[in-house]
Amino acid sequence: MGVSCGSYLRDTWGRAADRCSRLFPCFSDPGYYYCYYYCYLACLARRSAFSLKIALVMLHMVFAGVLFLFDRDLIEKTKQEPWYTALYVLLFIATLVQYFITAGTSPGYVLDVLKAVDERDAAARRALLASKQPASSKNGDVVITVDGRNNHRGNATAWTKLVMSLYPPGSLTCPYCNIIQPPRAKHCHDCDKCVLQFDHHCVWLGTCIGQGNHCRFWWYICEETALSLWTSILYIGYLESNILKAWWADIILILLLAALSITLIFLLLLLLFHSYLIMTNQTTYELVRRRRIVYLRGIPERVYPFNEGVRRNLYLFCCARSSMYRMERLPTAQELEEKSRPYTCYDVVSCRCC
């Protein structure tokens, strides 16, 4: 009796499980739970990034709104000289717009470049078969260049040969993306993608800083520094003319000014640091983790292998097209020896250092 009852319960449970698996096939797959877990983590990351963006906007509103709330002289000055407040408001809006543009710009994912190379190679094959003529290396608005020269390849392993030609000793493979990384690329564990010229992952922006958005990031820091400096000057002007009139308002403004001063010092140091990186064609990751990077271990500390002079570095950083994926090859031993040679008076006069 007990056996028949137990078998009946097992059969009933088995039929219910089969029906559930037919109605909801995803629940019958053990990988579903892992997929659900990673989707849940990704959702939490997106919510966290969105919350940080809202918090940053609210901080800007608080620091600027307190001035117009307490400073009656600023309101009168706005009525007499509206251009002054208009410039401040324009800088305020431009800073927030630049923030969202930088956060929404792709840092230059290696997978996107790989896709562009494959599409270009497929288009070149189709054009070659159709016209029996050498195909162009351009595909729409995407151009892949190596040291300023368009790279022409038309075989099945275009990406592999393109990347391996940039490494004199060999190549590196990303164990997470399972692709061959070009020089200066690194896998970001927060974005779970490899990034060209990886600099760092910015928590406040919620994205990586790489080749695609480093220029926009520098302009955002510059605008944020100017806005913080201007706001600090307005705070100091109010405290000088209205001190001891309302002690509670003074305490609030002094606390906000202290926080703003710390932020301003941090922004100034960050701006100077990234300006130095730009002029020497380095990234934060290469500077901090130089001894851990395989292709930089044998290079002396004071030698910057990708440095092409201040003018060339600034041109590539500021004036290069955003649709162009630029990959730099590792310099040869002769080029490294030339870069390690100290500057002479003739080099300074001939602008070799620039």
Side-chain angles (χ1 to χ4, degrees):
M1 181 68 180
V3 176
S4 62
C5 182
S7 61
Y8 175 76
L9 291 175
R10 284 194 298 270
D11 293 340
T12 304
W13 175 256
R15 288 194 297 270
D18 293 339
R19 186 176 302 175
C20 181
S21 63
R22 286 196 299 269
L23 293 175
F24 305 99
C26 56
F27 287 106
S28 61
D29 185 8
Y32 167 80
Y33 298 101
Y34 295 101
C35 180
Y36 176 80
Y37 175 71
Y38 286 115
C39 289
Y40 176 72
L41 292 180
C43 183
L44 285 180
R46 286 194 295 269
R47 289 182 180 179
S48 177
F50 180 76
S51 300
L52 284 174
K53 290 180 174 64
I54 296 298
L56 189 69
V57 173
M58 293 303 298
L59 283 174
H60 282 77
M61 298 295 293
V62 168
F63 278 104
V66 166
L67 280 172
F68 292 93
L69 183 63
F70 292 156
D71 195 351
R72 304 297 178 185
D73 296 335
L74 181 60
I75 298 177
E76 292 297 328
K77 189 175 182 179
T78 302
K79 295 178 181 178
Q80 298 173 3
E81 301 175 351
W83 60 269
Y84 183 83
T85 306
L87 288 177
Y88 179 81
V89 173
L90 284 176
L91 179 60
F92 181 86
I93 296 174
T95 302
L96 291 180
V97 170
Q98 186 67 33
Y99 168 76
F100 284 104
I101 290 177
T102 307
T105 303
S106 171
Y109 295 119
V110 177
L111 288 175
D112 295 339
V113 189
L114 173 60
K115 182 179 178 181
V117 171
D118 291 340
E119 291 178 353
R120 182 202 63 188
D121 186 51
R125 288 184 176 184
R126 289 194 297 267
L128 184 63
L129 292 175
S131 61
K132 302 298 183 180
Q133 295 177 358
S136 174
S137 64
K138 293 186 178 181
N139 180 29
D141 295 330
V142 179
V143 182
I144 297 91
T145 64
V146 177
D147 293 342
R149 300 183 300 274
N150 291 348
N151 190 274
H152 298 263
R153 296 191 180 275
N155 49 59
T157 58
W159 172 254
T160 303
K161 291 193 174 183
L162 172 63
V163 176
M164 292 186 69
S165 65
L166 307 177
Y167 287 97
S171 60
L172 298 176
T173 302
C174 176
Y176 304 98
C177 299
N178 197 25
I179 58 174
I180 299 178
Q181 288 181 339
R184 313 191 73 182
K186 181 187 177 297
H187 184 87
C188 175
H189 295 281
D190 296 291
C191 298
D192 198 25
K193 291 181 181 179
C194 292
V195 180
L196 286 175
Q197 292 188 20
F198 175 83
D199 190 88
H200 70 285
H201 183 88
C202 183
V203 178
W204 286 100
L205 290 170
T207 186
C208 286
I209 304 301
Q211 184 184 104
N213 60 356
H214 199 175
C215 183
R216 291 183 172 90
F217 177 73
W218 186 90
W219 280 110
Y220 165 66
I221 298 174
C222 186
E223 294 173 10
E224 194 74 73
T225 303
L227 181 63
S228 299
L229 180 61
W230 196 342
T231 307
S232 300
I233 293 173
L234 293 177
Y235 272 58
I236 295 173
Y238 170 81
L239 291 173
E240 287 180 349
S241 58
N242 297 278
I243 195 69
L244 300 179
K245 289 185 178 180
W247 63 270
W248 58 273
D250 295 340
I251 293 177
I252 293 175
L253 288 175
I254 289 173
L255 292 176
L256 290 177
L257 180 60
L260 194 60
S261 300
I262 296 173
T263 304
L264 179 60
I265 293 173
F266 173 76
L267 287 172
L268 281 172
L269 293 176
L270 190 63
L271 182 63
L272 292 175
F273 175 69
H274 277 273
S275 299
Y276 165 74
L277 293 178
I278 294 166
M279 289 187 293
T280 56
N281 196 4
Q282 297 184 87
T283 63
T284 303
Y285 174 69
E286 291 173 345
L287 185 66
V288 175
R289 302 287 186 178
R290 181 164 183 145
R291 294 184 179 180
R292 295 182 57 182
I293 301 175
V294 176
Y295 55 84
L296 294 180
R297 286 177 183 172
I299 300 176
E301 291 288 337
R302 297 297 179 182
V303 177
Y304 311 128
F306 303 104
N307 184 17
E308 300 183 23
V310 177
R311 289 182 298 176
R312 178 66 177 170
N313 293 337
L314 290 176
Y315 170 77
L316 293 175
F317 183 81
C318 300
C319 303
R321 295 186 306 167
S322 59
S323 61
M324 180 182 295
Y325 292 109
R326 182 171 53 87
M327 292 184 289
E328 299 170 275
R329 64 174 178 82
L330 289 176
T332 62
Q334 183 178 0
E335 292 172 338
L336 288 174
E337 184 179 356
E338 180 69 18
K339 291 177 183 292
S340 63
R341 184 170 62 87
Y343 294 121
T344 62
C345 296
Y346 175 77
D347 294 330
V348 176
V349 173
S350 61
C351 297
R352 173 179 171 260
C353 57
C354 299

